[in-house]
Amino acid sequence: MFNQGTDIKTFLNETGEIFRFALRFFREGFRPRYEVDEFLRQCFVIGYKSFPLVALTAFIIGLVLTMQLRPSMVNYGVEVQIPAMVGVAIVREIGPILTALIFAGKIGSSIGAELGSMKVTEQIDAMEVSGTNPFKYLVVTRSLAAMLMLPTLVILADAIALYGSYLGVNIYEPLTFKLFFKKVFDNLAYIDVIPAFIKTFFFGFAVGIVGSYKGYYSEKGTEGVGLSANSSVVVSSVLIFIIDLIAVQIADLFQ
Amino acid sequence: MPEPVIKIEGLSKSFGANHVLDHFDLSLNRGENLVVLGKSGSGKSVLIKCIIGLIQPEKGKIHVLGKNVLTLNQTALDYIRVKVAFLFQSNALYDSMTVRENLEFPLRRHSFQLTTKEVEDMVMEALQNVGLEHTVDMMPSELSGGMRKRIALARTLILKPEIILYDEPTTGLDPITSLEIISLINKIQEKYQTSSMIISHDMKCVKLVANRIAMLIDGKCYAIGTYDELSASPDEKIRQFFN
Ligand SMILES: Nc1ncnc2c1ncn2[C@@H]1O[C@H](COP(=O)(O)OP(=O)(O)O)[C@@H](O)[C@H]1O
Ligand SMILES: [Mg+2]
C-alpha cells in the first residue's frame, strides 16, 4: 500500500543519514592519510567520463535556445539583445543546472553502482583489513573529485553553449565572434557569475556524497546495486534543485 | 597443552531483535584447522568478522595472539590484520585492478618498506602457491570462479599470515574445484604452519580439512570435537549436519 506517512518518514530519515555521512566527510577527509593518487585518478575518470555528454548537450542547448528565442525577440524588435539574454540564461542557470543533472545521471549512478558492488562483494571490507580506511580511499576521494570537477565542467559547458548560441545567431545575421562575446559580457555582472559558480561546488559535492552514501550502504544482491545506482540519481537530482532554490534566495540578498 | 592463538569468550552480537551470537566461546589452537559448522544465517560470517574487527560485538572478549582486538587502536589493529588474513566468501577481488595490483594492494597499503623487486617476488611466490602465475596481468573478470578463489587465496597469503580465516571457501564451486581448494588449504597449513579457522557447511570439505569442528547453533558453541566424535553423537541437532 502506498503510504505517505511512512514515505515522508523514510525521506526524513534518509536525509538525516546523508547529512551525517557528509559530516563524516568533513571529520575524516581533512586528516591524514591523504589518498592523493586515488583522488587524482578519480578527477580524471569523473571529468573524462562526463565531458563528451556535457559538451554535446551544452552546444545543442545554446544553439536551440538562441533559435527559439529569435521569433519573440524579433516581434519586440530587440533581436540585438539575444546574446545578452542567452548569456544570462546560460551562465546563471542553464549551464550549472543542466551540467549538474547530466553529472548526476552519469557520475552519481556510476559511483553508486561501483561502491554498491564493492560493498556486496566485500571489497570494502577487504580494503579495511588491508590497512586502508575505505571511507577515505573511496568516499572522500570521489566526493572531493566530484566537487571540483563539476565547476570545471560547468565553465566548459557555459563556453560551449555560448559558442552554440553564437552559431545560432549567425544563421540569421552575421555577427562577429568578438562582438557576440562583448554583448554577452557587457550584460554580465559579477553578481550574476559568482553565485552561479559557487553553487556548482555544492551541486558536485551533493552528487559525490549521495552516490557514495547509496553505494556504501547498498543492500545485498544485484538488485541492491541497481537500486543504489538508481536512487543516487534521483536523490542527487532533487538535492540539486533544492540547493539551486536556496542559492537563488541567498544571491537575491546581495542584489 | 595446546597454545590458543585466538580465544573468544562470551561474545554477543545482535542486529535489532536478531540475536546472532549469544555468549559464544571458542579457542583456535596454534597449527590446527578448526572448522566452524553452522546453518546458513546462523552467524558464522558475523563471528569471523568480529575477530578481524570488521564488526563490533556488544559483549565479550576476543584475544588474537594475546591482544584483545576490541580494545585496540587503529595502528595496533592494523598490525593484527597483517598477522591474521581473511578469505572472503565472495573473494572480494578489486574489480578495477589487475591480479598483480590486487596482490600488491595489501603490501603497499600496510606501509612496509619494500623494493619493487621484493614486491614482485612476493606476488610471484603467492601466485606460485596457487598455481596461477600466468594470470598476473589479467583482470578478475577474465577468470573463472575457481581461479578467482585461488587468486583471493594468494592475496591472503601474500603477507605470510600466522592465522587465516576462511569464510565458506568452497561454497558456490563445483565439486572438483572444491577439492582443489581444500587441498590448497591443507598444503598451505603444512607449508607455512598457519592456524586456520574455516567456516563451512560443505561436509565433504569439513571432513578433509578439519582437525576439530565447532558447532555454531543458536548463537552458541553448541559442541566441539573431531569429525568422528561429532558424527557419532546421538544428539539430533548435531546429527542433522552429518547425514
Ligand atoms: N550488517 C548486518 N545488519 C543486519 N543484520 C545482519 C548484518 N550482518 C548479518 N546480519 C544477520 O545476521 C545473521 C547471520 O548472518 P551471517 O553471519 O552472514 O550468516 P552465515 O552464518 O550464513 O555466515 C543473519 O540473520 C543476517 O541477516
Ligand atoms: Mg556467511
PDB file of all heavy atoms in Angstrom, chain A residues 33 35 117-118 120-123 125-132 137, chain B residues 49 52 54 78 81 88-90 92-95 97 105-106 109-110 155:
ATOM      1  N   ARG A  33      45.643   9.836   6.629  1.00  0.00           N
ATOM      2  CA  ARG A  33      46.431   9.872   5.420  1.00  0.00           C
ATOM      3  C   ARG A  33      45.627  10.319   4.217  1.00  0.00           C
ATOM      4  O   ARG A  33      44.476   9.952   4.061  1.00  0.00           O
ATOM      5  CB  ARG A  33      47.012   8.451   5.284  1.00  0.00           C
ATOM      6  CG  ARG A  33      46.796   7.627   4.081  1.00  0.00           C
ATOM      7  CD  ARG A  33      47.244   6.210   4.381  1.00  0.00           C
ATOM      8  NE  ARG A  33      47.848   5.571   3.217  1.00  0.00           N
ATOM      9  CZ  ARG A  33      48.329   4.326   3.305  1.00  0.00           C
ATOM     10  NH1 ARG A  33      48.304   3.671   4.461  1.00  0.00           N
ATOM     11  NH2 ARG A  33      48.851   3.770   2.263  1.00  0.00           N
ATOM     12  N   GLU A  35      44.643  10.401   0.371  1.00  0.00           N
ATOM     13  CA  GLU A  35      44.710   9.441  -0.739  1.00  0.00           C
ATOM     14  C   GLU A  35      44.865  10.225  -2.045  1.00  0.00           C
ATOM     15  O   GLU A  35      43.954  10.268  -2.869  1.00  0.00           O
ATOM     16  CB  GLU A  35      43.469   8.569  -0.768  1.00  0.00           C
ATOM     17  CG  GLU A  35      43.202   7.814   0.528  1.00  0.00           C
ATOM     18  CD  GLU A  35      44.189   6.670   0.751  1.00  0.00           C
ATOM     19  OE1 GLU A  35      45.049   6.436  -0.116  1.00  0.00           O
ATOM     20  OE2 GLU A  35      44.097   6.020   1.809  1.00  0.00           O
ATOM     21  N   SER A 117      28.610  -2.340  -5.698  1.00  0.00           N
ATOM     22  CA  SER A 117      29.086  -3.695  -5.988  1.00  0.00           C
ATOM     23  C   SER A 117      30.337  -4.004  -5.164  1.00  0.00           C
ATOM     24  O   SER A 117      30.555  -5.154  -4.782  1.00  0.00           O
ATOM     25  CB  SER A 117      29.294  -3.901  -7.487  1.00  0.00           C
ATOM     26  OG  SER A 117      30.533  -3.423  -7.884  1.00  0.00           O
ATOM     27  N   MET A 118      31.119  -2.981  -4.824  1.00  0.00           N
ATOM     28  CA  MET A 118      32.253  -3.236  -3.924  1.00  0.00           C
ATOM     29  C   MET A 118      31.762  -3.637  -2.543  1.00  0.00           C
ATOM     30  O   MET A 118      32.377  -4.461  -1.866  1.00  0.00           O
ATOM     31  CB  MET A 118      33.133  -1.995  -3.806  1.00  0.00           C
ATOM     32  CG  MET A 118      33.885  -1.665  -5.077  1.00  0.00           C
ATOM     33  SD  MET A 118      35.052  -0.324  -4.864  1.00  0.00           S
ATOM     34  CE  MET A 118      36.370  -1.165  -3.983  1.00  0.00           C
ATOM     35  N   VAL A 120      28.763  -5.191  -1.780  1.00  0.00           N
ATOM     36  CA  VAL A 120      28.146  -6.518  -1.699  1.00  0.00           C
ATOM     37  C   VAL A 120      29.136  -7.641  -1.983  1.00  0.00           C
ATOM     38  O   VAL A 120      28.918  -8.766  -1.556  1.00  0.00           O
ATOM     39  CB  VAL A 120      26.898  -6.660  -2.606  1.00  0.00           C
ATOM     40  CG1 VAL A 120      25.863  -5.611  -2.276  1.00  0.00           C
ATOM     41  CG2 VAL A 120      27.258  -6.605  -4.067  1.00  0.00           C
ATOM     42  N   THR A 121      30.229  -7.354  -2.676  1.00  0.00           N
ATOM     43  CA  THR A 121      31.224  -8.402  -2.884  1.00  0.00           C
ATOM     44  C   THR A 121      32.366  -8.284  -1.867  1.00  0.00           C
ATOM     45  O   THR A 121      33.449  -8.819  -2.075  1.00  0.00           O
ATOM     46  CB  THR A 121      31.800  -8.385  -4.307  1.00  0.00           C
ATOM     47  OG1 THR A 121      32.413  -7.102  -4.513  1.00  0.00           O
ATOM     48  CG2 THR A 121      30.730  -8.600  -5.353  1.00  0.00           C
ATOM     49  N   GLU A 122      32.116  -7.563  -0.797  1.00  0.00           N
ATOM     50  CA  GLU A 122      33.034  -7.449   0.354  1.00  0.00           C
ATOM     51  C   GLU A 122      34.361  -6.781   0.030  1.00  0.00           C
ATOM     52  O   GLU A 122      35.318  -6.882   0.795  1.00  0.00           O
ATOM     53  CB  GLU A 122      33.281  -8.842   0.985  1.00  0.00           C
ATOM     54  CG  GLU A 122      32.014  -9.525   1.478  1.00  0.00           C
ATOM     55  CD  GLU A 122      32.248 -10.954   1.949  1.00  0.00           C
ATOM     56  OE1 GLU A 122      32.671 -11.778   1.121  1.00  0.00           O
ATOM     57  OE2 GLU A 122      32.000 -11.241   3.133  1.00  0.00           O
ATOM     58  N   GLN A 123      34.436  -6.070  -1.117  1.00  0.00           N
ATOM     59  CA  GLN A 123      35.695  -5.383  -1.436  1.00  0.00           C
ATOM     60  C   GLN A 123      35.991  -4.265  -0.441  1.00  0.00           C
ATOM     61  O   GLN A 123      37.152  -3.953  -0.162  1.00  0.00           O
ATOM     62  CB  GLN A 123      35.645  -4.798  -2.853  1.00  0.00           C
ATOM     63  CG  GLN A 123      35.626  -5.852  -3.941  1.00  0.00           C
ATOM     64  CD  GLN A 123      35.433  -5.255  -5.314  1.00  0.00           C
ATOM     65  OE1 GLN A 123      36.141  -4.354  -5.730  1.00  0.00           O
ATOM     66  NE2 GLN A 123      34.445  -5.744  -6.040  1.00  0.00           N
ATOM     67  N   ASP A 125      35.177  -4.316   2.786  1.00  0.00           N
ATOM     68  CA  ASP A 125      35.748  -4.998   3.952  1.00  0.00           C
ATOM     69  C   ASP A 125      37.203  -5.386   3.695  1.00  0.00           C
ATOM     70  O   ASP A 125      38.055  -5.262   4.570  1.00  0.00           O
ATOM     71  CB  ASP A 125      34.950  -6.280   4.268  1.00  0.00           C
ATOM     72  CG  ASP A 125      33.637  -5.981   4.975  1.00  0.00           C
ATOM     73  OD1 ASP A 125      33.473  -4.856   5.490  1.00  0.00           O
ATOM     74  OD2 ASP A 125      32.773  -6.875   5.018  1.00  0.00           O
ATOM     75  N   ALA A 126      37.461  -5.862   2.480  1.00  0.00           N
ATOM     76  CA  ALA A 126      38.822  -6.295   2.154  1.00  0.00           C
ATOM     77  C   ALA A 126      39.804  -5.121   2.235  1.00  0.00           C
ATOM     78  O   ALA A 126      40.935  -5.272   2.695  1.00  0.00           O
ATOM     79  CB  ALA A 126      38.865  -6.909   0.757  1.00  0.00           C
ATOM     80  N   MET A 127      39.362  -3.936   1.805  1.00  0.00           N
ATOM     81  CA  MET A 127      40.228  -2.758   1.924  1.00  0.00           C
ATOM     82  C   MET A 127      40.527  -2.467   3.380  1.00  0.00           C
ATOM     83  O   MET A 127      41.660  -2.176   3.753  1.00  0.00           O
ATOM     84  CB  MET A 127      39.518  -1.544   1.338  1.00  0.00           C
ATOM     85  CG  MET A 127      39.597  -1.534  -0.145  1.00  0.00           C
ATOM     86  SD  MET A 127      39.212   0.081  -0.792  1.00  0.00           S
ATOM     87  CE  MET A 127      39.782  -0.238  -2.450  1.00  0.00           C
ATOM     88  N   GLU A 128      39.471  -2.537   4.177  1.00  0.00           N
ATOM     89  CA  GLU A 128      39.635  -2.210   5.588  1.00  0.00           C
ATOM     90  C   GLU A 128      40.657  -3.112   6.269  1.00  0.00           C
ATOM     91  O   GLU A 128      41.462  -2.644   7.067  1.00  0.00           O
ATOM     92  CB  GLU A 128      38.277  -2.291   6.293  1.00  0.00           C
ATOM     93  CG  GLU A 128      38.394  -2.087   7.781  1.00  0.00           C
ATOM     94  CD  GLU A 128      37.329  -1.186   8.358  1.00  0.00           C
ATOM     95  OE1 GLU A 128      36.286  -1.015   7.715  1.00  0.00           O
ATOM     96  OE2 GLU A 128      37.571  -0.670   9.458  1.00  0.00           O
ATOM     97  N   VAL A 129      40.651  -4.423   5.934  1.00  0.00           N
ATOM     98  CA  VAL A 129      41.637  -5.301   6.573  1.00  0.00           C
ATOM     99  C   VAL A 129      43.005  -5.207   5.896  1.00  0.00           C
ATOM    100  O   VAL A 129      43.954  -5.805   6.349  1.00  0.00           O
ATOM    101  CB  VAL A 129      41.179  -6.780   6.640  1.00  0.00           C
ATOM    102  CG1 VAL A 129      39.896  -6.902   7.438  1.00  0.00           C
ATOM    103  CG2 VAL A 129      41.014  -7.387   5.267  1.00  0.00           C
ATOM    104  N   SER A 130      43.116  -4.437   4.831  1.00  0.00           N
ATOM    105  CA  SER A 130      44.416  -4.253   4.181  1.00  0.00           C
ATOM    106  C   SER A 130      45.015  -2.893   4.541  1.00  0.00           C
ATOM    107  O   SER A 130      45.644  -2.258   3.708  1.00  0.00           O
ATOM    108  CB  SER A 130      44.282  -4.359   2.667  1.00  0.00           C
ATOM    109  OG  SER A 130      43.875  -5.649   2.314  1.00  0.00           O
ATOM    110  N   GLY A 131      44.791  -2.450   5.744  1.00  0.00           N
ATOM    111  CA  GLY A 131      45.425  -1.218   6.207  1.00  0.00           C
ATOM    112  C   GLY A 131      44.935   0.026   5.504  1.00  0.00           C
ATOM    113  O   GLY A 131      45.676   0.997   5.359  1.00  0.00           O
ATOM    114  N   THR A 132      43.705   0.025   5.038  1.00  0.00           N
ATOM    115  CA  THR A 132      43.176   1.162   4.301  1.00  0.00           C
ATOM    116  C   THR A 132      41.850   1.584   4.919  1.00  0.00           C
ATOM    117  O   THR A 132      41.021   0.739   5.230  1.00  0.00           O
ATOM    118  CB  THR A 132      42.937   0.762   2.828  1.00  0.00           C
ATOM    119  OG1 THR A 132      44.186   0.334   2.296  1.00  0.00           O
ATOM    120  CG2 THR A 132      42.403   1.921   2.008  1.00  0.00           C
ATOM    121  N   TYR A 137      39.515   6.290   1.273  1.00  0.00           N
ATOM    122  CA  TYR A 137      40.001   5.849  -0.029  1.00  0.00           C
ATOM    123  C   TYR A 137      38.918   5.955  -1.090  1.00  0.00           C
ATOM    124  O   TYR A 137      39.189   6.328  -2.231  1.00  0.00           O
ATOM    125  CB  TYR A 137      40.503   4.404   0.077  1.00  0.00           C
ATOM    126  CG  TYR A 137      41.271   3.934  -1.128  1.00  0.00           C
ATOM    127  CD1 TYR A 137      42.627   4.185  -1.235  1.00  0.00           C
ATOM    128  CD2 TYR A 137      40.639   3.241  -2.150  1.00  0.00           C
ATOM    129  CE1 TYR A 137      43.344   3.752  -2.329  1.00  0.00           C
ATOM    130  CE2 TYR A 137      41.344   2.807  -3.262  1.00  0.00           C
ATOM    131  CZ  TYR A 137      42.698   3.065  -3.341  1.00  0.00           C
ATOM    132  OH  TYR A 137      43.397   2.642  -4.437  1.00  0.00           O
TER     133      TYR A 137
ATOM    134  N   LYS B  49      34.022 -12.014  11.258  1.00  0.00           N
ATOM    135  CA  LYS B  49      34.234 -10.588  11.022  1.00  0.00           C
ATOM    136  C   LYS B  49      34.468  -9.836  12.340  1.00  0.00           C
ATOM    137  O   LYS B  49      35.148  -8.817  12.358  1.00  0.00           O
ATOM    138  CB  LYS B  49      33.080  -9.990  10.227  1.00  0.00           C
ATOM    139  CG  LYS B  49      33.181 -10.405   8.762  1.00  0.00           C
ATOM    140  CD  LYS B  49      32.180  -9.762   7.847  1.00  0.00           C
ATOM    141  CE  LYS B  49      32.470 -10.243   6.412  1.00  0.00           C
ATOM    142  NZ  LYS B  49      31.474  -9.788   5.449  1.00  0.00           N
ATOM    143  N   ILE B  52      38.289 -10.021  13.231  1.00  0.00           N
ATOM    144  CA  ILE B  52      39.204  -9.146  12.496  1.00  0.00           C
ATOM    145  C   ILE B  52      38.801  -7.675  12.647  1.00  0.00           C
ATOM    146  O   ILE B  52      39.385  -6.782  12.045  1.00  0.00           O
ATOM    147  CB  ILE B  52      39.260  -9.610  11.014  1.00  0.00           C
ATOM    148  CG1 ILE B  52      40.474  -9.070  10.275  1.00  0.00           C
ATOM    149  CG2 ILE B  52      38.004  -9.303  10.270  1.00  0.00           C
ATOM    150  CD1 ILE B  52      41.589 -10.055  10.303  1.00  0.00           C
ATOM    151  N   LEU B  54      35.923  -6.184  11.856  1.00  0.00           N
ATOM    152  CA  LEU B  54      35.042  -5.590  10.844  1.00  0.00           C
ATOM    153  C   LEU B  54      33.642  -5.368  11.404  1.00  0.00           C
ATOM    154  O   LEU B  54      32.882  -4.563  10.882  1.00  0.00           O
ATOM    155  CB  LEU B  54      34.961  -6.501   9.611  1.00  0.00           C
ATOM    156  CG  LEU B  54      36.153  -6.453   8.672  1.00  0.00           C
ATOM    157  CD1 LEU B  54      36.047  -7.531   7.610  1.00  0.00           C
ATOM    158  CD2 LEU B  54      36.282  -5.085   8.023  1.00  0.00           C
ATOM    159  N   ASP B  78      45.693  -2.681  12.821  1.00  0.00           N
ATOM    160  CA  ASP B  78      46.310  -2.943  11.517  1.00  0.00           C
ATOM    161  C   ASP B  78      47.430  -3.974  11.642  1.00  0.00           C
ATOM    162  O   ASP B  78      47.617  -4.799  10.752  1.00  0.00           O
ATOM    163  CB  ASP B  78      46.865  -1.639  10.914  1.00  0.00           C
ATOM    164  CG  ASP B  78      45.771  -0.810  10.246  1.00  0.00           C
ATOM    165  OD1 ASP B  78      44.716  -1.384   9.921  1.00  0.00           O
ATOM    166  OD2 ASP B  78      45.970   0.399  10.057  1.00  0.00           O
ATOM    167  N   ARG B  81      45.907  -7.236  11.748  1.00  0.00           N
ATOM    168  CA  ARG B  81      45.368  -7.595  10.432  1.00  0.00           C
ATOM    169  C   ARG B  81      46.448  -8.018   9.444  1.00  0.00           C
ATOM    170  O   ARG B  81      46.142  -8.554   8.381  1.00  0.00           O
ATOM    171  CB  ARG B  81      44.564  -6.406   9.871  1.00  0.00           C
ATOM    172  CG  ARG B  81      43.223  -6.251  10.571  1.00  0.00           C
ATOM    173  CD  ARG B  81      42.592  -4.931  10.243  1.00  0.00           C
ATOM    174  NE  ARG B  81      41.221  -4.854  10.747  1.00  0.00           N
ATOM    175  CZ  ARG B  81      40.474  -3.765  10.677  1.00  0.00           C
ATOM    176  NH1 ARG B  81      40.955  -2.659  10.127  1.00  0.00           N
ATOM    177  NH2 ARG B  81      39.250  -3.758  11.151  1.00  0.00           N
ATOM    178  N   PHE B  88      37.556 -13.910   1.908  1.00  0.00           N
ATOM    179  CA  PHE B  88      36.139 -13.552   1.895  1.00  0.00           C
ATOM    180  C   PHE B  88      35.333 -14.548   1.072  1.00  0.00           C
ATOM    181  O   PHE B  88      35.813 -15.072   0.069  1.00  0.00           O
ATOM    182  CB  PHE B  88      35.963 -12.144   1.329  1.00  0.00           C
ATOM    183  CG  PHE B  88      36.461 -11.085   2.271  1.00  0.00           C
ATOM    184  CD1 PHE B  88      37.775 -10.649   2.199  1.00  0.00           C
ATOM    185  CD2 PHE B  88      35.641 -10.552   3.247  1.00  0.00           C
ATOM    186  CE1 PHE B  88      38.258  -9.698   3.085  1.00  0.00           C
ATOM    187  CE2 PHE B  88      36.107  -9.598   4.130  1.00  0.00           C
ATOM    188  CZ  PHE B  88      37.420  -9.168   4.051  1.00  0.00           C
ATOM    189  N   GLN B  89      34.088 -14.734   1.512  1.00  0.00           N
ATOM    190  CA  GLN B  89      33.213 -15.672   0.819  1.00  0.00           C
ATOM    191  C   GLN B  89      33.049 -15.277  -0.645  1.00  0.00           C
ATOM    192  O   GLN B  89      33.070 -16.111  -1.535  1.00  0.00           O
ATOM    193  CB  GLN B  89      31.851 -15.721   1.515  1.00  0.00           C
ATOM    194  CG  GLN B  89      30.915 -16.728   0.885  1.00  0.00           C
ATOM    195  CD  GLN B  89      29.612 -16.863   1.657  1.00  0.00           C
ATOM    196  OE1 GLN B  89      29.491 -16.390   2.786  1.00  0.00           O
ATOM    197  NE2 GLN B  89      28.650 -17.519   1.055  1.00  0.00           N
ATOM    198  N   SER B  90      32.903 -13.960  -0.899  1.00  0.00           N
ATOM    199  CA  SER B  90      32.738 -13.521  -2.294  1.00  0.00           C
ATOM    200  C   SER B  90      34.070 -13.083  -2.902  1.00  0.00           C
ATOM    201  O   SER B  90      34.088 -12.305  -3.853  1.00  0.00           O
ATOM    202  CB  SER B  90      31.697 -12.424  -2.371  1.00  0.00           C
ATOM    203  OG  SER B  90      31.846 -11.528  -1.308  1.00  0.00           O
ATOM    204  N   ALA B  92      36.130 -10.902  -2.879  1.00  0.00           N
ATOM    205  CA  ALA B  92      36.475  -9.502  -2.658  1.00  0.00           C
ATOM    206  C   ALA B  92      37.689  -9.063  -3.465  1.00  0.00           C
ATOM    207  O   ALA B  92      38.466  -8.225  -3.026  1.00  0.00           O
ATOM    208  CB  ALA B  92      36.697  -9.220  -1.161  1.00  0.00           C
ATOM    209  N   LEU B  93      37.870  -9.634  -4.661  1.00  0.00           N
ATOM    210  CA  LEU B  93      38.931  -9.132  -5.536  1.00  0.00           C
ATOM    211  C   LEU B  93      38.495  -7.769  -6.063  1.00  0.00           C
ATOM    212  O   LEU B  93      37.326  -7.574  -6.389  1.00  0.00           O
ATOM    213  CB  LEU B  93      39.156 -10.089  -6.708  1.00  0.00           C
ATOM    214  CG  LEU B  93      39.705 -11.463  -6.322  1.00  0.00           C
ATOM    215  CD1 LEU B  93      39.815 -12.348  -7.554  1.00  0.00           C
ATOM    216  CD2 LEU B  93      41.047 -11.340  -5.627  1.00  0.00           C
ATOM    217  N   TYR B  94      39.449  -6.834  -6.154  1.00  0.00           N
ATOM    218  CA  TYR B  94      39.093  -5.497  -6.639  1.00  0.00           C
ATOM    219  C   TYR B  94      38.889  -5.546  -8.160  1.00  0.00           C
ATOM    220  O   TYR B  94      39.833  -5.809  -8.905  1.00  0.00           O
ATOM    221  CB  TYR B  94      40.185  -4.489  -6.268  1.00  0.00           C
ATOM    222  CG  TYR B  94      40.489  -4.499  -4.791  1.00  0.00           C
ATOM    223  CD1 TYR B  94      41.755  -4.806  -4.315  1.00  0.00           C
ATOM    224  CD2 TYR B  94      39.490  -4.224  -3.854  1.00  0.00           C
ATOM    225  CE1 TYR B  94      42.029  -4.839  -2.954  1.00  0.00           C
ATOM    226  CE2 TYR B  94      39.753  -4.255  -2.491  1.00  0.00           C
ATOM    227  CZ  TYR B  94      41.020  -4.563  -2.059  1.00  0.00           C
ATOM    228  OH  TYR B  94      41.281  -4.607  -0.716  1.00  0.00           O
ATOM    229  N   ASP B  95      37.659  -5.288  -8.570  1.00  0.00           N
ATOM    230  CA  ASP B  95      37.291  -5.402  -9.992  1.00  0.00           C
ATOM    231  C   ASP B  95      38.106  -4.499 -10.897  1.00  0.00           C
ATOM    232  O   ASP B  95      38.352  -4.820 -12.049  1.00  0.00           O
ATOM    233  CB  ASP B  95      35.825  -4.971 -10.210  1.00  0.00           C
ATOM    234  CG  ASP B  95      34.868  -5.806  -9.403  1.00  0.00           C
ATOM    235  OD1 ASP B  95      35.080  -7.022  -9.358  1.00  0.00           O
ATOM    236  OD2 ASP B  95      33.928  -5.226  -8.834  1.00  0.00           O
ATOM    237  N   MET B  97      41.134  -3.569 -10.635  1.00  0.00           N
ATOM    238  CA  MET B  97      42.589  -3.762 -10.645  1.00  0.00           C
ATOM    239  C   MET B  97      42.941  -5.108 -11.268  1.00  0.00           C
ATOM    240  O   MET B  97      42.156  -6.054 -11.202  1.00  0.00           O
ATOM    241  CB  MET B  97      43.132  -3.756  -9.208  1.00  0.00           C
ATOM    242  CG  MET B  97      42.815  -2.512  -8.423  1.00  0.00           C
ATOM    243  SD  MET B  97      43.559  -2.625  -6.776  1.00  0.00           S
ATOM    244  CE  MET B  97      42.671  -1.322  -5.941  1.00  0.00           C
ATOM    245  N   PHE B 105      48.142  -4.739  -3.408  1.00  0.00           N
ATOM    246  CA  PHE B 105      47.398  -3.805  -2.576  1.00  0.00           C
ATOM    247  C   PHE B 105      47.724  -3.933  -1.081  1.00  0.00           C
ATOM    248  O   PHE B 105      48.131  -2.954  -0.453  1.00  0.00           O
ATOM    249  CB  PHE B 105      45.895  -3.940  -2.837  1.00  0.00           C
ATOM    250  CG  PHE B 105      45.071  -2.822  -2.272  1.00  0.00           C
ATOM    251  CD1 PHE B 105      44.860  -1.653  -2.997  1.00  0.00           C
ATOM    252  CD2 PHE B 105      44.514  -2.923  -1.003  1.00  0.00           C
ATOM    253  CE1 PHE B 105      44.114  -0.610  -2.461  1.00  0.00           C
ATOM    254  CE2 PHE B 105      43.764  -1.891  -0.471  1.00  0.00           C
ATOM    255  CZ  PHE B 105      43.567  -0.729  -1.203  1.00  0.00           C
ATOM    256  N   PRO B 106      47.590  -5.145  -0.482  1.00  0.00           N
ATOM    257  CA  PRO B 106      47.910  -5.227   0.949  1.00  0.00           C
ATOM    258  C   PRO B 106      49.372  -4.904   1.250  1.00  0.00           C
ATOM    259  O   PRO B 106      49.666  -4.310   2.287  1.00  0.00           O
ATOM    260  CB  PRO B 106      47.597  -6.680   1.314  1.00  0.00           C
ATOM    261  CG  PRO B 106      47.080  -7.341   0.116  1.00  0.00           C
ATOM    262  CD  PRO B 106      47.105  -6.404  -1.034  1.00  0.00           C
ATOM    263  N   ARG B 109      49.702  -1.006   0.999  1.00  0.00           N
ATOM    264  CA  ARG B 109      48.891  -0.233   1.932  1.00  0.00           C
ATOM    265  C   ARG B 109      49.351  -0.387   3.364  1.00  0.00           C
ATOM    266  O   ARG B 109      49.184   0.510   4.160  1.00  0.00           O
ATOM    267  CB  ARG B 109      47.416  -0.636   1.808  1.00  0.00           C
ATOM    268  CG  ARG B 109      46.863  -0.513   0.426  1.00  0.00           C
ATOM    269  CD  ARG B 109      46.821   0.905  -0.054  1.00  0.00           C
ATOM    270  NE  ARG B 109      46.090   1.751   0.861  1.00  0.00           N
ATOM    271  CZ  ARG B 109      45.828   3.039   0.625  1.00  0.00           C
ATOM    272  NH1 ARG B 109      46.229   3.608  -0.491  1.00  0.00           N
ATOM    273  NH2 ARG B 109      45.184   3.750   1.508  1.00  0.00           N
ATOM    274  N   HIS B 110      49.894  -1.551   3.724  1.00  0.00           N
ATOM    275  CA  HIS B 110      50.338  -1.733   5.099  1.00  0.00           C
ATOM    276  C   HIS B 110      51.700  -1.086   5.345  1.00  0.00           C
ATOM    277  O   HIS B 110      52.428  -1.494   6.216  1.00  0.00           O
ATOM    278  CB  HIS B 110      50.402  -3.222   5.454  1.00  0.00           C
ATOM    279  CG  HIS B 110      49.086  -3.798   5.912  1.00  0.00           C
ATOM    280  ND1 HIS B 110      48.422  -3.355   7.016  1.00  0.00           N
ATOM    281  CD2 HIS B 110      48.311  -4.769   5.388  1.00  0.00           C
ATOM    282  CE1 HIS B 110      47.296  -4.041   7.178  1.00  0.00           C
ATOM    283  NE2 HIS B 110      47.194  -4.896   6.185  1.00  0.00           N
ATOM    284  N   ARG B 155      46.116 -13.688  -2.414  1.00  0.00           N
ATOM    285  CA  ARG B 155      46.186 -12.351  -1.812  1.00  0.00           C
ATOM    286  C   ARG B 155      46.204 -12.434  -0.285  1.00  0.00           C
ATOM    287  O   ARG B 155      46.859 -11.620   0.371  1.00  0.00           O
ATOM    288  CB  ARG B 155      45.013 -11.487  -2.285  1.00  0.00           C
ATOM    289  CG  ARG B 155      45.178 -10.033  -1.911  1.00  0.00           C
ATOM    290  CD  ARG B 155      44.050  -9.172  -2.435  1.00  0.00           C
ATOM    291  NE  ARG B 155      42.777  -9.536  -1.837  1.00  0.00           N
ATOM    292  CZ  ARG B 155      41.611  -8.979  -2.166  1.00  0.00           C
ATOM    293  NH1 ARG B 155      41.567  -8.044  -3.104  1.00  0.00           N
ATOM    294  NH2 ARG B 155      40.495  -9.362  -1.585  1.00  0.00           N
TER     295      ARG B 155
END
